[in-house]
């Protein structure tokens, strides 16, 4: 049995969820659904909310709420989004939960025991928005004031603080990256991280005293544990590790999927903290790119956040999932515009896939009373069938390598071929000429191809894929990729269901 652990970042509850959060969760969902459909694999899939820190405390104040009351409210919005996006997570963690606080304290105490933490004084720049410390060389000066390269405000902090001996881990980290070539993906990000670490690491301030909303440092309650140590530890809390080693195997096969903005925390601080606490780093960090809105950075000040709920309401969930997954290469940045969204879903989902299924099944309904006319061994046009089965082995490694758009490209190129097949075979003409045996063959072949295509599409557009399988009367409860072959094919004489419209067309 293979155990796999997939995680999204835990999202800050200072604001409502937007398209970027939806994107990461969908990307993780594809992988989770995919692995669940591979043989002998068990998947744990975690998402959740990051509820401590100065940023959240300030947001609660602005909303005139007590922090706990505020985080309870906003966390619910993220949980709802998870449900609306049809995310198949097995757990949802909140950093205000007891199980999490317990693990954070445990990790902290391990670091203290191993002399990896000391008390000192922090004096330097801090960004509340990023909840991150910056060195002056990382900042730029605009109108006489320092800010981050992204234009985020920083403020000068001077306070007593605990420090983590990050500087001691520079060489160990470089050795670790060297030995674990696939730890950071894509490789361009790996190079970025390595050059950052080679430039030298300073000890990391890991406690704050100027606000309250967080987990208190054990035995020193005027200090709150730095929100990033708190947040990163969520990945352990959810599997009750290292308190119990029952889930160690999941941990050894853990994949953190994140946005490129938080790579430094995951690829540098996190493995260093874990090694310092004598724990194993996760198996892999995958950093995806950034979505912009019609070429502009999504930001509060521009008030241009894209609301996934509005898009789902207007166009449908699978349409949104499909666009986000198909439009960009995972790892690169993407630009959202409603125009390109509509164009993409019209051409691929409504025309290419939906229309093909619709016209095939309408013919079956009208002329064969919805009964599958032939069995596989009676079909002569084996090439198109074999190409369809082969698609499974083409797509699998692409998903495992995070090449989702290439996987979808292969699937939809193949659907093009199926469209060509029906156009060449012209079953409507055979029917007109009363040559029902030729039409039987074309339609039975296509139905078998739809079965395979629909199963391959489950990780990407689960609702629509299941709708197709329901129409074809395919039991997908225990279906997996290894079963996508001739042995489990369509059955002659079986009645399928009436086809419903799958993907509407929208005005371009
Ligand atoms: O950073 N494009 O939370 P956060 C793509 N709590 N992805 C985007 C995006 C965009 N425009 N905007 C946000 C935090 N994201 C911490 C994480 S984890 C231990 C703690 C996604 O609410 C992307 O995954 O700011 C990014 O990394 C994450 O949301 C940041 O979410």
């Amino acid at each position: 049995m293979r155990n796999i652990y997939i995680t999204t970042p835990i999202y800050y509850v200072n604001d409502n969820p937007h398209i970027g959060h939806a994107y990461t969760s969908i990307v993780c969902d594809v992988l989770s659904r995919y692995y669940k459909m591979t043989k002998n694999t068990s998947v744990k899939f975690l998402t959740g909310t990051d509820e401590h820190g100065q940023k959240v405390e300030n947001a609660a104040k602005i909303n005139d709420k007590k922090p706990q009351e505020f985080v309870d409210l906003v966390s619910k919005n993220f949980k709802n989004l998870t449900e609306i996006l049809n995310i198949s997570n097995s757990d949802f963690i909140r950093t205000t939960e007891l199980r999490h606080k317990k693990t954070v304290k445990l990790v902290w105490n391990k670091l203290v025991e191993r002399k990896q933490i000391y008390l000192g004084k922090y004096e330097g720049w801090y960004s509340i928005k990023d909840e991150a410390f910056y060195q002056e060389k990382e900042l730029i000066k605009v109108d006489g004031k320092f800010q981050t390269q992204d234009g985020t405000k920083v403020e000068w902090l001077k306070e007593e603080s605990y420090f983590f001996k990050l500087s001691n881990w520079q060489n160990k980290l470089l050795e670790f990256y060297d030995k674990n070539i696939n730890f950071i993906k894509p490789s361009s990000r790996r190079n970025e991280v390595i050059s950052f670490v080679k430039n030298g690491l300073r000890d990391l301030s890991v406690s704050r005293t100027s606000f309250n909303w967080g987990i208190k440092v054990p035995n020193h309650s005027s200090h709150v544990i730095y929100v990033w140590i708190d947040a990163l530890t969520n990945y352990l809390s959810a599997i009750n590790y290292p308190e119990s080693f029952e889930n160690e195997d999941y941990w050894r096969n853990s994949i953190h999927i994140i946005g490129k903005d938080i790579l430094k925390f995951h690829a540098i601080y996190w493995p260093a903290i874990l090694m310092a606490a004598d724990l194993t780093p996760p198996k892999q960090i995958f950093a995806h790119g950034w979505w912009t809105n019609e070429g502009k950075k999504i930001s509060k000040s521009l008030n241009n956040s894209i609301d996934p709920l509005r898009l789902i309401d207007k166009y449908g969930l699978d349409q949104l999932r499909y666009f986000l997954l198909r439009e960009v290469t995972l790892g690169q940045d993407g630009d959202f515009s409603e125009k390109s969204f509509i164009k993409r879903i019209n051409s691929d989902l409504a025309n290419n896939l939906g229309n093909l299924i619709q016209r095939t099944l309408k013919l079956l309904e009208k002329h064969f009373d919805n009964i599958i006319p032939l069995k596989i061994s009676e079909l002569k046009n084996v090439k198109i069938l074999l190409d369809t089965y082969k698609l499974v082995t083409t797509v699998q490694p692409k998903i495992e390598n995070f090449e989702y758009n290439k996987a979808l490209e292969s699937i939809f190129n193949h659907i093009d071929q199926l469209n060509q097949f029906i156009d060449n075979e012209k079953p409507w003409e055979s029917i007109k000429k009363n040559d029902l045996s030729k039409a039987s063959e074309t339609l039975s072949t296509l139905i078998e191809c739809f079965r395979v295509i629909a199963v391959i599409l489950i990780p990407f557009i689960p609702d629509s894929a299941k709708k197709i399988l329901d129409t074809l009367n395919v039991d997908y409860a225990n279906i997996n990729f290894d079963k996508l072959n001739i042995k489990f094919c369509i059955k002659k004489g079986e009645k399928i269901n009436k086809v419903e419209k799958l993907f509407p067309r929208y005005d371009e």
Side-chain angles (χ1 to χ4, degrees):
M1 191 75 179
R2 174 171 65 156
N3 293 327
I4 293 183
Y5 184 33
I6 297 166
T7 67
T8 74
I10 45 169
Y11 305 116
Y12 281 130
V13 290
N14 63 315
D15 204 359
N16 280 329
H18 67 66
I19 197 87
H21 305 120
Y23 180 57
T24 318
S25 295
I26 292 170
V27 165
C28 292
D29 188 55
V30 173
L31 203 64
S32 165
R33 286 180 187 273
Y34 164 74
Y35 277 121
K36 278 184 197 157
M37 286 171 60
T38 57
K39 214 171 168 184
N40 294 332
T41 306
S42 160
V43 180
K44 279 189 196 286
F45 173 15
L46 176 72
T47 186
T49 41
D50 189 354
E51 305 187 3
H52 290 131
Q54 196 168 2
K55 173 150 95 172
V56 174
E57 188 179 79
N58 291 349
K61 240 180 241 153
I62 291 167
N63 285 279
D64 211 10
K65 297 247 175 336
K66 290 212 171 82
Q68 188 63 54
E69 192 189 348
F70 176 70
V71 298
D72 286 347
L73 276 174
V74 189
S75 177
K76 254 193 212 126
N77 296 339
F78 279 93
K79 209 166 188 179
N80 282 346
L81 181 72
T82 303
E83 278 153 30
I84 292 169
L85 294 173
N86 198 3
I87 299 299
S88 56
N89 56 306
S90 49
D91 197 354
F92 187 101
I93 193 157
R94 301 181 53 191
T95 53
T96 47
E97 285 174 58
L98 197 62
R99 61 170 170 161
H100 173 68
K101 293 180 185 167
K102 228 172 58 186
T103 312
V104 173
K105 287 185 183 161
L106 189 148
V107 170
W108 180 278
N109 287 336
K110 259 183 170 271
L111 292 171
V112 172
E113 261 167 44
R114 297 173 60 81
K115 306 208 173 1
Q116 297 293 327
I117 280 182
Y118 62 92
L119 191 60
K121 205 168 219 136
Y122 179 77
E123 192 166 356
W125 296 106
Y126 190 74
S127 150
I128 298 179
K129 179 165 172 271
D130 300 344
E131 296 282 17
F133 302 93
Y134 286 100
Q135 293 182 40
E136 207 149 290
K137 65 180 184 200
E138 295 174 273
L139 303 172
I140 49 171
K141 220 171 189 178
V142 176
D143 297 334
K145 278 193 170 164
F146 279 109
Q147 60 177 42
T148 69
Q149 312 274 345
D150 292 341
T152 305
K153 228 172 86 186
V154 288
E155 58 183 56
W156 187 257
L157 282 190
K158 198 174 173 182
E159 55 188 47
E160 185 184 66
S161 170
Y162 282 95
F163 284 84
F164 166 58
K165 290 184 183 166
L166 181 63
S167 58
N168 278 1
W169 292 90
Q170 180 174 351
N171 289 337
K172 297 243 170 49
L173 278 171
L174 291 171
E175 258 168 48
F176 176 77
Y177 303 142
D178 210 38
K179 275 199 199 125
N180 297 277
I181 289 284
N182 292 320
F183 176 63
I184 304 164
K185 284 275 175 184
S187 45
S188 55
R189 299 277 168 226
R190 171 185 152 83
N191 298 338
E192 240 171 62
V193 168
I194 291 177
S195 80
F196 189 94
V197 174
K198 277 189 175 155
N199 257 332
L201 295 174
R202 295 204 315 183
D203 288 352
L204 179 68
S205 164
V206 287
S207 75
R208 302 281 316 276
T209 54
S210 50
F211 69 100
N212 268 321
W213 183 238
I215 302 174
K216 305 272 184 272
V217 166
N219 308 317
H220 203 163
S221 61
S222 54
H223 285 250
V224 164
I225 295 178
Y226 176 38
V227 69
W228 268 101
I229 303 256
D230 173 344
L232 288 161
T233 307
N234 92 87
Y235 302 130
L236 299 180
S237 320
I239 52 169
N240 200 21
Y241 179 76
E243 189 171 21
S244 143
F245 281 79
E246 190 192 326
N247 288 313
E248 199 174 356
D249 202 36
Y250 284 98
W251 183 245
R252 287 188 187 283
N253 288 308
S254 49
I255 308 173
H256 298 326
I257 299 180
I258 57 168
K260 64 180 184 181
D261 55 324
I262 53 177
L263 182 62
K264 183 167 81 178
F265 303 96
H266 283 79
I268 302 174
Y269 298 172
W270 187 220
I273 289 166
L274 288 164
M275 289 193 280
D278 199 24
L279 296 168
T280 320
K283 183 169 166 210
Q284 194 170 54
I285 314 280
F286 186 96
H288 66 64
W290 214 238
W291 281 95
T292 50
N293 186 356
E294 313 226 347
K296 294 213 174 67
K297 195 176 161 191
I298 298 172
S299 82
K300 253 188 174 174
S301 52
L302 290 175
N303 197 17
N304 64 345
S305 119
I306 304 166
D307 178 6
L309 301 184
R310 184 187 74 81
L311 292 172
I312 293 169
D313 232 30
K314 195 162 167 195
Y315 303 105
L317 169 63
D318 280 349
Q319 281 81 349
L320 178 65
R321 291 177 63 114
Y322 181 77
F323 174 79
L324 294 176
L325 299 167
R326 174 67 184 89
E327 197 66 8
V328 300
T329 301
L330 197 56
Q332 286 174 10
D333 293 341
D335 186 42
F336 183 88
S337 85
E338 210 146 326
K339 210 169 149 201
S340 46
F341 175 51
I342 294 175
K343 211 167 155 199
R344 174 64 81 185
I345 59 175
N346 273 350
S347 88
D348 292 10
L349 296 179
N351 293 355
N352 201 351
L353 176 62
N355 217 359
L356 173 67
I357 296 182
Q358 202 86 14
R359 56 187 180 141
T360 307
L361 298 192
K362 280 278 174 218
L363 285 176
L364 194 83
E365 185 185 329
K366 209 162 157 203
H367 304 283
F368 294 87
D369 194 23
N370 264 339
I371 289 176
I372 298 175
L374 296 176
K375 58 180 168 193
I376 288 278
S377 54
E378 289 169 324
L379 303 179
K380 294 189 200 88
N381 223 319
V382 234
K383 181 166 180 332
I384 195 89
L385 275 179
L386 291 182
D387 281 353
T388 309
Y389 295 132
K390 219 162 58 196
L391 188 64
V392 184
T393 42
T394 313
V395 165
Q396 280 196 279
K398 291 197 163 86
I399 301 181
E400 291 181 18
N401 286 330
F402 299 95
E403 295 171 316
Y404 294 177
N405 66 334
K406 285 202 182 138
L408 286 170
E409 193 181 19
S410 307
I411 300 169
F412 280 79
N413 282 343
H414 188 71
I415 296 171
D416 278 342
Q417 273 189 43
L418 296 180
N419 270 298
Q420 271 167 27
F421 174 73
I422 193 170
D423 288 344
N424 291 341
E425 297 294 311
K426 300 186 178 53
W428 48 89
E429 280 187 6
S430 317
I431 289 167
K432 237 193 226 158
K433 287 187 211 146
N434 240 342
D435 182 1
L436 284 192
S437 77
K438 175 138 194 275
S440 305
E441 210 188 306
T442 311
L443 298 182
S444 303
T445 306
L446 281 167
I447 290 167
E448 173 59 2
C449 296
F450 296 161
R451 180 189 72 96
V452 177
I453 298 268
V455 175
I456 302 179
L457 282 172
I458 290 179
F460 302 100
I461 47 171
D463 284 344
S464 312
K466 287 174 182 171
K467 214 160 144 188
I468 299 169
L469 292 169
D470 278 336
T471 307
L472 300 180
N473 248 338
V474 174
D475 176 13
Y476 49 76
N478 294 311
I479 205 141
N480 69 45
F481 280 89
D482 306 281
K483 287 190 181 170
L484 278 185
N485 56 39
I486 219 146
K487 274 192 264 163
F488 293 87
C489 54
I490 48 158
K491 294 194 178 59
K492 178 177 181 171
E494 192 169 87
K495 192 158 178 142
I496 66 163
N497 297 310
K498 207 169 141 82
V499 62
E500 305 289 336
K501 198 162 184 76
L502 284 164
F503 305 104
R505 260 193 75 85
Y506 295 93
D507 289 340
E508 288 188 21

